[in-house]
Amino acid sequence: MEFQFGWTVSLYLLIRSLSRGLPIVKPEWIVDSIAAGRVLSWAPYQLQRIALEHPNQRTLQSAYLNPKLDHCPLPLDWRDNYPTYSNMMDIDLEPRSELLALENVPTSDNQGPSSVQDGAVNFTLLEEDLKGIEVKADECSETENQGVLESHGKKDSVAIVDRSKRNTGAGYSDAAAAATHSTLGDDNFVQNYFKSSRLHFIGTWRNRYQSRYGSFNDNSEGQDQQVFRAKSGSDPAVIHIDMDCFFVAVVVRDRPELHDKPVAVCHSDSVRGSGEISSANYPARAFGVRAGMFVRDAKAKCPDLEIVPYNFEAYEQVADKVYNILHHHCGRVQAVSCDEAFLDVTDQGDPCQIASVIRSQIFEATRCTASAGVSKNKLLARLATRKAKPNGLYYIAPSEVEGFMDELAVEDLPGVGWTLKEKLKSHNLHKCSDLLRVSKDFLQREFGVKTGDMLWSYARGIDTREVQQAQIRKSIGAEVNWGVRFLVPEDAHRFLVTLSTEVATRLQTAAVKGRTITLKVKRRKEGSGEPSKFMGCGVCDNFSRSETVGYATDSQEILLRVAKQLFNSFAFDVRDVRGVGLQVTRLEAVGSGQSLKGGQGQQRALKSWLAPEISKVMLDESAPADRNSGNQTIIHRSTEPLKTEAGESIPVKSPALDVPKLPLNTSAQDNNDLHAVFTAAESGMRNFIAPDTKDRIQVGRSSTKAAPPPTNLPPLSELDPSVLASLPPEILAEIREVYGELAAQPVVSSKPAKNYLSPVAVMKGAHKTKTSEVSNRVDRREDGIRRVLPLEPLTERGESSRPPSVRPEIVALPPASQLDPSVMSALPLSLRRELEQEYKRQQVKKPDKSTLRVSEPEKLCVERCSSTSLEDLWTGTPPKWVHMFKESQDAEFSNLCVLAEHMAGAVRPFSVVMLSVLPHLSNACSATVSQKVIQSCMELIKQYVQQMIACDLEEVCMIMRVLKRVAAKSQLWRVVEDLITPFVQGIVGECYGGHLKI
Amino acid sequence: MGVVRLCDRGDVGELVCEFLEVCIHQLLCVRELYPQEIFERRRYINTPVQWARHPDLREYIHSAVTNLQPWVQQGVVDKVTLLVMNKNRTLEEKFVFSFGLKQLSTAGVPAQHLEFALRGFLLKISVSDSFLSPLPPDCSWELVTYLKSSSLDTINKDQPWVPADDEGWDQNFIMTSMKSMRSSYLDMQLYVEHSVEKPTDE
């Protein structure tokens, strides 16, 4: 993006004819920019639609003055305010106005010529279609990826097409014209785009179909039938039903005057005939009218050709009726598309009879004709349908297969397209009989293993594909390749917002979530100019990148964030972008298995089965509220609701909170006996508080078994530490929580580096073998404590609750006097602080110290774990930490979260990002500061400096300065700054030998 | 103005050396190593710069930098420094340009991009006197280039550059970053090292 600074500001011309493609902006832009003290984005000030207004529409003034129409960016007042310019404007406008009059074309249902579609922006709609749409649609309908919608569709938009001007105009002089047709001007572009796309209709129809018949399919014989069939050994029978010219027939059936006349479906019947035909009926086909033809070409061939618009509602109704009939006759229906299906009617009687019954019923119900092909497999059935068309039925008996296939040309085989046909021709293979001559090896060698195999078997009439019922959706996405034009990165980002919303909506409609997000970008091929098709994508290079998020998502925000990241990672000039697609794969059904509840807690995949362990409830009968300070919330939680819901003893509490003094029976757990202590800041907490009945019941059941609930966990020793380290922090935290109870000691003892912990671990292990029951309880008790620790270390103890028998097993901390200060100083700060705090606390009240000592190793272990996850924070684009903290629900991390959010899509250096969120940073800090957060912040900056030190001293300097500023306002950052400054100076000294002036 | 594309390292090196020459002039002027009268105002990549008028001085700078060009193009130049010494020949200040030239993509880069970035350096230099303390009178200066060690064999005979001792600091010094740029084809930073004894007031 070229910006012009200083005096050259005047290049943002106000007059289109002189603008040479530069954006035309309102004069306010200059004034506002001066007021703001910087060059503002001109996008909001752009006069993009000035030349495009329809003369029949409300006057410009009224449109502008109407405050409701703020989406209509017509900055008309400057005409009044700056009368000098208006003359020039008029000159520029006039020829266009004439054009507009010409281009008024009917577009939508049942409207006569020259009617005006009442669109959102009151523009006349003219739809542009793509060549080959029919072909594409067929391919699309065959593709297994039902969700992927190759949207080569069309788009409602104002048509002010002036080809000569456009082609001669250099660069972006057409920007204004493009604005309304493209992503530039229309905020609802994506929605409108899909609203009028036939392919979109086909795609969404599948969703509908699946939601309608999905359950039906499940109840049908399904796999049983397959088994049955294998046993029965009778001949398989497949019917292929295909509606005749579905898109035309449905429209024509209500218009008898069109019967027997050549009719084609196209979204527009413009005078220029630039629309493309998507479907034509048989009379029209007789004239040589084909799908994908331009209307003008079709009319040249067939002057009487009647062009009718789509009627999506009718299509939907008819398709539903058809499928009702199909499902009535057969349990195994594979929907290929809204007008095409396979039926497996093995062992259901004479397939031909079934097919003819279906055909007649379809005609009765819908007044549309269907053709049917019957044979022993899908391939043959489909080929038979081709023979049957129109309105017929063809049966290929097993004995006739050979003869039938021999006659077939290779290109008639499904899967053989133009390229493959040409290749085959070059090998002198024209007919299927020719294919029989060559070996499978040859075919596989020449055309690839899969294709070769396919050709070989198809030529013999072999098709092993089963008639599948509702296929598993593998991906959901949306792609827009028409009308995509951006001028500035903000345009692209705005477009991504709408695109991600669309995809999120589709995900939500389909009730799935996905983990891998792929962004496809079409970029104008270097050197290729504006495509000949108006607003088409032209010759493009395709790029795609994907990113896998840690959990399945259907959230628009996340999609948007990832999409932005991916988009930025391409670093394209946005003006060259011609198409953008966003696709989500690795889908999981929303309600399935380990899947995720709605709302914020959804990311925690482990949560549901770990629920008993995750509870942050802690019983503390001896230490009520006064122990808890600061941000801990104490909830005197009534156990009543839990009881009623679980229908059993209080679920979470019984194993996790039971202490020897308190019997496990329900009666003892009366409301006021229990003080549940919640650490509100702990992330897992929310899940527990959330009224999630299902979870609770589950919890209740597992806990009453009185066994350690997650029995299916592998032993901790089998976990790969490197895998653990690369896990997202939330998951890691959960794993820690599970294992923290089960086997904190293996983690410790398997790490000789932490040998200062091992005695404790060994002791604990030994103890466990002796009196496992007691130790279980103890461990759980500790577990409860440990979770409170990170926030308010070591204040929450239930000392009195500890059974005396356990005490001797615990290794005490050495007396403070025996501590080697040098060892202390070498410890990581977080550990050191904890130890210091611990000693301090012991000094204050010298009560039973044993409890906290037990928890100590576990706590250290926690620290260790969290520090391992802080490695390589800056790898990847965007850096890893952005993911880590962006999703963090932890209130403590809120300032890092803020940072991450701003960093996510940013191309700016970190210091600038940090500076931009400076006020948020200091505000977002919670009152108390936990070690975890300090450490995270430290690591973040430390690693950034390490990365930058060699190549960008300025950035290092900047970040330190920004840090200084934040530190002035926030306790947390002050600590971070204090700690980081010596480190930075050290590393500068190492690298440059000097001392950096900050 | 058409888009000039820098297609290979040669082009980038050429532009970098040209820029270096301008920077040296500019630094000499800003640090007042010569009387202001010998400089004239010129324009380089749309930025006003000071340019020495003395032919010998010009020639010295020009030949030094021009002869550096092959090395810059080969990417063997680690950093180019302008040392400022007081009359006792002890180091006062050291302006360091450090380079990291990368492989260019086949498409090349638009020259404007680099020029845009370089402009930032020039502007920073012109205000550098604000964060540096004034130099003592009678200072002298010299150019010292640090090559990456592997490349000494590339020096040809008629190269006017002579081996130099590493004029290091004999005490602690402070670095002030002036400007850094990072891009896909060139990393460059300019920082100045100066002695601790004259702490500049913030």
Side-chain angles (χ1 to χ4, degrees):
Chain A
M1 191 63 232
E2 280 183 57
F3 279 106
Q4 320 240 2
F5 291 104
W7 297 111
T8 55
V9 145
S10 59
L11 277 176
Y12 291 85
L13 288 178
L14 299 172
I15 305 136
R16 176 185 167 72
S17 51
L18 299 179
S19 71
R20 288 172 301 168
L22 286 164
I24 316 164
V25 295
K26 286 193 276 179
E28 285 86 343
W29 175 73
I30 297 169
V31 181
D32 290 356
S33 292
I34 293 167
R38 64 196 171 89
V39 180
L40 296 172
S41 160
W42 46 264
Y45 298 89
Q46 200 179 358
L47 291 192
Q48 41 196 353
R49 289 194 182 135
I50 194 73
L52 301 165
E53 273 307 293
H54 194 283
N56 296 340
Q57 281 184 281
R58 285 163 307 146
T59 62
L60 302 177
Q61 276 86 352
S62 71
Y64 188 75
L65 291 172
N66 187 346
K68 277 182 237 160
L69 285 172
D70 53 353
H71 62 274
C72 185
L74 295 171
L76 308 153
D77 58 346
W78 68 257
R79 272 194 164 208
D80 306 329
N81 299 344
Y82 305 89
T84 10
Y85 296 124
S86 62
N87 287 339
M88 300 185 210
M89 259 327 278
D90 288 345
I91 291 164
D92 194 42
L93 270 173
E94 264 160 30
R96 291 192 166 264
S97 306
E98 284 169 21
L99 252 159
L100 276 165
L102 284 175
E103 297 284 343
N104 276 338
V105 284
T107 54
S108 76
D109 322 358
N110 315 324
Q111 286 189 330
S114 83
S115 67
V116 175
Q117 171 88 16
D118 201 15
V121 205
N122 286 355
F123 286 140
T124 309
L125 299 180
L126 177 133
E127 294 165 325
E128 284 276 342
D129 206 349
L130 260 187
K131 198 162 191 117
I133 187 162
E134 187 69 61
V135 181
K136 286 264 168 56
D138 287 346
E139 285 168 7
C140 178
S141 64
E142 281 187 24
T143 180
E144 299 284 300
N145 289 349
Q146 306 177 6
V148 193
L149 190 60
E150 293 291 320
S151 303
H152 303 268
K154 49 238 142 267
K155 156 80 183 76
D156 303 344
S157 54
V158 182
I160 308 151
V161 187
D162 181 353
R163 285 181 188 273
S164 60
K165 263 196 182 176
R166 190 174 55 253
N167 295 339
T168 51
Y172 303 98
S173 64
D174 229 14
T180 35
H181 299 272
S182 70
T183 52
L184 276 177
D186 190 349
D187 287 344
N188 297 320
F189 179 83
V190 174
Q191 282 170 323
N192 290 340
Y193 181 92
F194 288 115
K195 206 183 283 170
S196 57
S197 162
R198 188 184 65 132
L199 291 169
H200 175 63
F201 166 73
I202 294 169
T204 48
W205 173 82
R206 282 185 171 279
N207 294 349
R208 218 174 111 77
Y209 170 77
Q210 284 194 343
S211 58
R212 206 179 155 102
Y213 293 104
S215 55
F216 183 69
N217 279 336
D218 292 343
N219 300 335
S220 70
E221 301 98 312
Q223 291 171 335
D224 300 342
Q225 192 184 330
Q226 222 161 339
V227 177
F228 172 70
R229 199 175 77 190
K231 278 183 195 157
S232 77
S234 62
D235 283 340
V238 174
I239 301 176
H240 179 238
I241 294 274
D242 191 9
M243 304 294 290
D244 297 325
C245 341
F246 182 70
F247 284 87
V248 181
V250 172
V251 177
V252 168
R253 64 185 178 142
D254 294 324
R255 297 172 65 177
E257 79 276 8
L258 292 178
H259 201 64
D260 295 333
K261 294 230 174 74
V263 180
V265 174
C266 178
H267 51 79
S268 90
D269 189 10
S270 86
V271 182
R272 285 183 305 108
S274 67
E276 284 160 43
I277 287 171
S278 66
S279 182
N281 68 356
Y282 284 94
R285 289 185 202 183
F287 283 92
V289 175
R290 294 279 176 271
M293 234 175 211
F294 279 120
V295 169
R296 58 168 174 267
D297 299 338
K299 288 214 166 159
K301 292 198 175 203
C302 172
D304 297 330
L305 185 70
E306 192 78 28
I307 304 288
V308 294
Y310 293 118
N311 183 356
F312 290 122
E313 274 170 40
Y315 297 148
E316 219 163 75
Q317 284 168 7
V318 172
D320 285 349
K321 280 182 188 164
V322 169
Y323 274 96
N324 275 336
I325 292 166
L326 298 184
H327 280 280
H328 179 75
H329 284 278
C330 177
R332 290 168 62 82
V333 178
Q334 177 182 356
V336 179
S337 157
C338 54
D339 61 341
E340 189 184 357
F342 286 105
L343 284 75
D344 186 340
V345 292
T346 309
D347 295 319
Q348 291 189 9
D350 180 10
C352 285
Q353 201 184 338
I354 299 172
S356 59
V357 171
I358 289 174
R359 283 187 58 229
S360 61
Q361 284 187 353
I362 288 177
F363 183 72
E364 279 163 33
T366 67
R367 288 178 289 132
C368 294
T369 58
S371 300
V374 183
S375 192
K376 60 178 183 180
N377 62 32
K378 281 165 75 173
L379 167 73
L380 290 168
R382 170 171 288 215
L383 293 172
T385 312
R386 202 171 288 170
K387 268 241 150 127
K389 276 190 174 260
N391 195 14
L393 184 146
Y394 193 86
Y395 174 61
I396 305 175
S399 55
E400 300 165 7
V401 170
E402 213 167 293
F404 181 84
M405 294 306 298
D406 283 355
E407 291 307 304
L408 221 56
V410 281
E411 63 258 39
D412 288 338
L413 293 175
V416 180
W418 192 84
T419 322
L420 189 51
K421 184 186 96 180
E422 291 300 306
K423 261 192 181 171
L424 286 164
K425 290 232 161 111
S426 71
H427 287 94
N428 211 15
L429 300 167
H430 299 279
K431 294 186 129 193
C432 284
S433 49
D434 300 331
L435 284 174
L436 296 178
R437 286 186 283 109
V438 292
S439 71
K440 194 172 183 171
D441 281 349
F442 170 81
L443 288 172
Q444 293 194 333
R445 201 169 53 240
E446 288 296 318
F447 304 107
V449 178
K450 268 194 168 174
T451 314
D453 189 40
M454 178 198 83
L455 287 172
W456 189 86
S457 17
Y458 278 13
R460 286 159 180 76
I462 300 169
D463 182 8
T464 51
R465 293 174 301 164
E466 291 283 329
V467 173
Q468 292 166 343
Q469 300 167 40
Q471 288 155 356
I472 296 151
R473 172 192 297 280
K474 285 174 187 147
S475 72
I476 285 186
E479 188 168 347
V480 180
N481 294 333
W482 189 86
V484 174
R485 293 293 184 279
F486 306 127
L487 286 180
V488 290
E490 285 73 31
D491 292 334
H493 286 173
R494 248 182 294 135
F495 179 72
L496 287 176
V497 171
T498 51
L499 191 63
S500 59
T501 312
E502 173 73 29
V503 175
T505 314
R506 290 185 188 186
L507 284 167
Q508 283 151 16
T509 319
V512 288
K513 297 177 178 193
R515 293 189 56 196
T516 301
I517 298 161
T518 308
L519 188 79
K520 298 179 192 169
V521 176
K522 277 182 179 290
R523 189 180 65 168
R524 183 174 67 91
K525 212 180 188 75
E526 191 106 10
S528 73
E530 268 294 295
S532 58
K533 180 182 169 62
F534 180 64
M535 281 291 126
C537 56
V539 188
C540 285
D541 292 321
N542 294 313
F543 301 86
S544 95
R545 276 187 195 174
S546 61
E547 172 139 355
T548 301
V549 291
Y551 44 84
T553 181
D554 61 357
S555 133
Q556 186 261 338
E557 272 173 44
I558 293 168
L559 290 180
L560 175 63
R561 179 172 56 76
V562 176
K564 275 188 178 177
Q565 283 163 11
L566 293 171
F567 190 83
N568 290 335
S569 71
F570 286 116
F572 291 153
D573 183 344
V574 291
R575 289 172 297 181
D576 288 339
V577 173
R578 290 288 178 267
V580 184
L582 187 64
Q583 187 186 333
V584 180
T585 48
R586 294 179 69 183
L587 301 178
E588 294 170 11
V590 167
S592 78
Q594 45 149 314
S595 128
L596 330 158
K597 299 287 178 297
Q600 293 299 313
Q602 57 183 266
Q603 292 95 331
R604 286 136 213 286
L606 281 167
K607 203 119 268 188
S608 51
W609 55 281
L610 295 182
E613 301 310 307
I614 294 162
S615 76
K616 300 293 181 291
V617 187
M618 199 182 104
L619 178 68
D620 192 351
E621 74 275 45
S622 61
D626 57 332
R627 287 279 181 79
N628 304 282
S629 59
N631 48 2
Q632 281 187 352
T633 319
I634 295 168
I635 300 175
H636 292 262
R637 189 183 170 86
S638 161
T639 55
E640 230 70 83
L642 284 175
K643 269 191 220 164
T644 48
E645 275 170 43
E648 287 163 299
S649 63
I650 301 167
V652 179
K653 289 178 180 172
S654 38
L657 303 175
D658 180 36
V659 289
K661 277 188 179 175
L662 194 74
L664 228 170
N665 62 46
T666 334
S667 63
Q669 299 177 344
D670 245 290
N671 303 354
N672 294 328
D673 287 352
L674 304 173
H675 304 283
V677 180
F678 287 79
T679 59
E682 279 284 337
S683 58
M685 189 60 207
R686 284 169 207 176
N687 199 46
F688 181 76
I689 299 179
D692 190 336
T693 320
K694 212 172 174 183
D695 262 1
R696 280 193 198 161
I697 290 172
Q698 214 182 337
V699 168
R701 281 188 196 136
S702 57
S703 64
T704 46
K705 285 176 197 156
T711 44
N712 49 350
L713 289 176
L716 190 61
S717 53
E718 285 178 18
L719 293 186
D720 184 345
S722 64
V723 172
L724 283 177
S726 60
L727 283 173
E730 305 94 49
I731 305 284
L732 195 68
E734 281 168 33
I735 288 178
R736 240 189 289 134
E737 270 158 11
V738 186
Y739 285 108
E741 167 179 313
L742 288 182
Q745 58 275 47
V747 173
V748 175
S749 51
S750 67
K751 296 278 177 218
K754 292 274 171 189
N755 51 7
Y756 55 93
L757 294 178
S758 42
V760 180
V762 173
M763 295 293 271
K764 262 182 80 183
H767 162 64
K768 219 170 190 174
T769 52
K770 266 195 257 168
T771 55
S772 64
E773 207 227 315
V774 176
S775 75
N776 259 353
R777 287 178 179 177
V778 170
D779 285 353
R780 291 210 181 94
R781 185 73 187 86
E782 290 156 14
D783 197 38
I785 294 166
R786 186 170 55 75
R787 288 195 193 98
V788 189
L789 287 176
L791 198 63
E792 187 64 27
L794 309 170
T795 55
E796 196 47 61
R797 304 277 167 241
E799 303 93 332
S800 57
S801 68
R802 296 212 52 90
S805 64
V806 183
R807 282 184 206 163
E809 310 289 343
I810 287 139
V811 177
L813 284 175
S817 55
Q818 288 181 17
L819 281 181
D820 182 347
S822 66
V823 170
M824 276 297 267
S825 61
L827 282 175
L829 179 94
S830 50
L831 287 183
R832 200 166 68 213
R833 292 229 164 169
E834 248 168 75
L835 286 172
E836 281 164 1
Q837 249 172 322
E838 178 62 6
Y839 278 112
K840 210 181 284 173
R841 204 192 61 81
Q842 286 185 23
Q843 273 180 341
V844 173
K845 39 172 171 175
K846 285 245 179 182
D848 182 343
K849 293 170 233 161
S850 50
T851 346
L852 56 105
R853 273 173 228 137
V854 178
S855 64
E856 200 71 4
E858 282 178 351
K859 195 149 58 69
L860 295 173
C861 161
V862 171
E863 295 294 348
R864 198 187 52 78
C865 284
S866 62
S867 64
T868 51
S869 68
L870 288 174
E871 278 161 17
D872 301 328
L873 287 172
W874 285 93
T875 50
T877 23
K880 186 180 134 194
W881 66 271
V882 171
H883 297 291
M884 279 174 59
F885 298 117
K886 176 104 190 265
E887 307 314 329
S888 171
Q889 304 296 320
D890 225 325
E892 295 177 291
F893 285 113
S894 59
N895 58 52
L896 282 176
C897 182
V898 169
L899 212 50
E901 261 164 39
H902 284 79
M903 194 66 194
V907 284
R908 300 169 298 172
F910 181 50
S911 62
V912 179
V913 173
M914 201 159 162
L915 196 60
S916 69
V917 295
L918 202 75
H920 304 286
L921 275 185
S922 41
N923 290 342
C925 276
S926 50
T928 49
V929 175
S930 88
Q931 300 303 328
K932 213 162 77 184
V933 178
I934 293 179
Q935 199 182 357
S936 305
C937 297
M938 277 252 309
E939 277 305 313
L940 184 65
I941 297 188
K942 202 161 145 184
Q943 289 175 24
Y944 186 63
V945 169
Q946 278 168 340
Q947 191 186 324
M948 285 295 138
I949 193 75
C951 61
D952 204 337
L953 209 54
E954 193 186 19
E955 176 67 8
V956 172
C957 207
M958 274 298 286
I959 200 78
M960 294 309 289
R961 284 177 192 162
V962 174
L963 201 57
K964 206 181 226 170
R965 287 181 59 181
V966 191
K969 291 183 185 163
S970 143
Q971 170 75 36
L972 162 67
W973 291 100
R974 185 151 56 242
V975 175
V976 173
E977 197 218 2
D978 287 348
L979 294 167
I980 206 87
T981 309
F983 165 79
V984 171
Q985 291 299 0
I987 197 170
V988 168
E990 244 170 61
C991 210
Y992 296 92
H995 203 74
L996 186 66
K997 194 176 113 182
I998 295 163
Chain B
M1 178 167 86
V3 177
V4 180
R5 295 192 86 83
L6 306 171
C7 291
D8 54 26
R9 283 173 155 208
D11 293 352
V12 175
E14 200 178 341
L15 188 53
V16 164
C17 286
E18 188 182 288
F19 164 73
L20 206 56
E21 192 178 349
V22 177
C23 283
I24 292 166
H25 280 277
Q26 182 78 354
L27 279 172
L28 294 179
C29 173
V30 168
R31 298 307 290 144
E32 298 183 349
L33 287 156
Y34 293 98
Q36 293 299 300
E37 296 80 24
I38 77 147
F39 293 97
E40 64 184 19
R41 226 165 99 99
R42 287 198 177 187
R43 197 158 80 159
Y44 178 72
I45 49 175
N46 226 4
T47 313
V49 291
Q50 299 294 329
W51 194 260
R53 288 188 298 180
H54 194 283
D56 289 348
L57 180 56
R58 275 187 189 184
E59 178 51 36
Y60 170 72
I61 299 171
H62 183 74
S63 69
V65 173
T66 314
N67 283 299
L68 213 51
Q69 194 172 319
W71 291 337
V72 172
Q73 283 172 10
Q74 288 162 37
V76 299
V77 176
D78 184 20
K79 43 191 183 179
V80 177
T81 58
L82 192 157
L83 309 182
V84 180
M85 280 154 299
N86 61 18
K87 52 188 170 193
N88 306 323
R89 301 282 303 165
T90 50
L91 203 51
E92 281 290 337
E93 268 173 14
K94 189 171 175 182
F95 291 92
V96 184
F97 295 88
S98 78
F99 298 102
L101 214 64
K102 300 176 195 169
Q103 207 63 51
L104 264 77
S105 63
T106 46
V109 289
Q112 283 98 327
H113 184 266
L114 183 55
E115 285 173 3
F116 183 74
L118 295 183
R119 212 173 294 162
F121 282 82
L122 287 173
L123 291 172
K124 265 293 170 68
I125 292 173
S126 60
V127 297
S128 60
D129 52 345
S130 66
F131 51 82
L132 293 171
S133 49
L135 289 169
D138 290 323
C139 280
S140 62
W141 64 280
E142 66 183 76
L143 289 173
V144 175
T145 299
Y146 294 78
L147 301 183
K148 290 166 188 162
S149 55
S150 61
S151 50
L152 286 170
D153 50 351
T154 59
I155 300 171
N156 64 34
K157 284 188 214 82
D158 31 21
Q159 181 53 265
W161 285 80
V162 292
D165 301 325
D166 190 357
E167 301 258 3
W169 294 90
D170 44 14
Q171 79 255 354
N172 275 346
F173 61 95
I174 290 183
M175 304 167 51
T176 306
S177 168
M178 287 171 74
K179 189 75 195 161
S180 301
M181 75 169 278
R182 278 181 296 141
S183 68
S184 55
Y185 52 94
L186 175 70
D187 284 353
M188 183 157 80
Q189 44 181 341
L190 168 61
Y191 55 93
V192 54
E193 300 173 352
H194 46 101
S195 59
V196 189
E197 275 135 29
K198 290 169 194 160
T200 56
D201 24 11
E202 290 265 329

